[in-house]
Amino acid sequence: MSQVVDVQIYSLKGEINNYSFSEQNAQFVGIDWLQQVLAAKQSGSQLSVVTDPFDYQGIDQVIPMQPEQYFMMDYLLPADLQGAKALEVGLGSGVLSIFALQQGAATVTGLEINPRAKVYAGFNALINGVSDRLHIRDGNVQSIFAPVQDQQFDLIISNPPFEPTPPGMDYYLNSAAGIYGFTFVENLLKDANARLSDNGVLQIVTMAPGDKEVPGRLVDAVKKYLPHGATEIICDLAPITYAAFVDRFVGIFGQDQSVIDAMKNEAAANGITHLHMCILRYRKNTAPDLQISFTPKIYEPWETPLGTK
């Protein structure tokens, strides 16, 4: 019996501080789709990954390439990658782990709760020649580092779930993160220090709530959970208002306006007016410090709404 497989194929181009991906929609028919995907991989590309297409709307969607992933690759420093024993929390398609391995990491352990994503990540590691150095483990939402509680890492990376999500909504596993989009990030930060080796580095790319100027919730979490090292927060140039972001759940997903209004009212009462896309980079056991800066370009074009192009 024939089957149809719809995927998105992304191939890396550019260079440090200007990475981007070319993309190709692909539909493969028949039982030999695996060979067809391999044939479609651009042999001249250093890195190619297969994801779900944008119109796949199951909650187990393997997220297509998004601007925050380019942001992360631009700001992963070669010195932090060389020879590193690394951990990725929230593996997804595996693109960041594969990139880290190709840029010099020794090994990456990838944690992921989504069975569909683990299949994609394993396949992508195989076609990029790094499957022997990427170790995929089941994730644990309730206790993020439980699967690696006996280990420490030179580098921890994550593009975690960060979208403000209406209560009770069955939303994408890769994105749902409480009404402020900060639940997973806070749980990650509170336990990360113990999983870092001496002078280890934690680097995440996330959206974070705050006012128009700074992602205040992220700043507060750094002060609370990461007091024993130096932290940089690097913000995208184009924050979006909290209200504009959550209003899109009505038009795109048919959420009840009263639920969204309640979210906006609670956010306003707590001083949350904007959402910032940003990189957080923390260095353990260095002189405590917190610096906030801004990228020289806009990574997140907010006119692109919630998983549509």
Side-chain angles (χ1 to χ4, degrees):
M1 181 177 176
S2 293
Q3 58 180 320
V4 177
V5 179
D6 291 297
V7 295
Q8 197 85 3
I9 302 175
Y10 294 88
S11 296
L12 185 69
K13 60 183 181 180
E15 55 190 19
I16 194 165
N17 296 124
N18 195 27
Y19 288 117
S20 61
F21 279 79
S22 60
E23 57 191 84
Q24 171 189 356
N25 291 309
Q27 183 179 83
F28 303 110
V29 181
I31 61 173
D32 62 343
W33 69 271
L34 182 65
Q35 286 75 20
Q36 294 179 66
V37 172
L38 286 168
K41 180 183 183 297
Q42 294 185 13
S43 59
S45 175
Q46 179 186 22
L47 191 164
S48 292
V49 293
V50 176
T51 75
D52 282 321
F54 276 91
D55 59 4
Y56 179 88
Q57 295 187 355
I59 65 169
D60 61 348
Q61 179 200 70
V62 180
I63 194 167
M65 289 298 300
Q66 297 283 274
E68 63 264 22
Q69 294 163 313
Y70 312 150
F71 193 3
M72 183 70 150
M73 290 187 295
D74 278 350
Y75 281 86
L76 276 170
L77 301 180
D80 294 333
L81 291 166
Q82 295 307 308
K85 176 186 176 184
L87 172 72
E88 181 175 9
V89 177
L91 182 61
S93 68
V95 61
L96 294 180
S97 285
I98 294 166
F99 178 82
L101 289 164
Q102 290 186 337
Q103 297 297 312
T107 62
V108 178
T109 298
L111 304 183
E112 178 57 61
I113 65 167
N114 182 356
R116 186 181 182 87
K118 284 180 277 190
V119 171
Y120 273 76
F123 174 73
N124 287 329
L126 180 65
I127 65 174
N128 285 282
V130 297
S131 59
D132 59 330
R133 295 187 289 140
L134 176 61
H135 312 300
I136 301 173
R137 294 191 182 183
D138 292 341
N140 185 326
V141 174
Q142 285 69 41
S143 181
I144 291 173
F145 293 102
V148 290
Q149 62 184 351
D150 57 338
Q151 296 184 56
Q152 289 187 317
F153 298 88
D154 305 312
L155 175 66
I156 299 174
I157 59 175
S158 185
N159 174 197
F162 58 60
E163 287 190 19
T165 309
M169 181 181 180
D170 287 330
Y171 194 50
Y172 300 123
L173 296 173
N174 57 46
S175 298
I179 69 166
Y180 296 133
F182 202 62
T183 302
F184 193 96
V185 171
E186 186 162 21
N187 288 336
L188 174 66
L189 296 183
K190 73 179 183 180
D191 294 324
N193 195 69
R195 299 278 62 84
L196 287 170
S197 60
D198 290 345
N199 304 313
V201 174
L202 167 70
Q203 183 164 322
I204 70 172
V205 59
T206 186
M207 195 159 64
D211 59 21
K212 186 176 181 179
E213 303 303 323
V214 295
R217 283 289 177 98
L218 185 59
V219 171
D220 291 344
V222 167
K223 292 176 179 177
K224 182 176 182 179
Y225 300 120
L226 301 174
H228 305 299
T231 301
E232 302 169 78
I233 296 175
I234 306 161
C235 297
D236 185 87
L237 290 176
I240 187 172
T241 65
Y242 180 89
F245 188 91
V246 299
D247 274 341
R248 299 186 298 174
F249 280 97
V250 177
I252 297 173
F253 295 104
Q255 285 291 296
D256 189 279
Q257 184 66 59
S258 65
V259 173
I260 302 304
D261 288 343
M263 292 174 66
K264 292 191 290 187
N265 290 337
E266 181 173 335
N270 287 286
I272 302 300
T273 62
H274 285 73
L275 300 166
H276 297 258
M277 186 63 66
C278 49
I279 296 282
L280 179 151
R281 185 189 293 132
Y282 165 76
R283 297 185 183 280
K284 182 177 178 179
N285 293 334
T286 55
D289 190 24
L290 175 58
Q291 299 289 332
I292 300 174
S293 61
F294 295 85
T295 67
K297 63 181 181 180
I298 294 173
Y299 280 91
E300 186 65 68
W302 291 113
E303 68 273 12
T304 302
L306 291 173
T308 64
K309 295 194 69 181

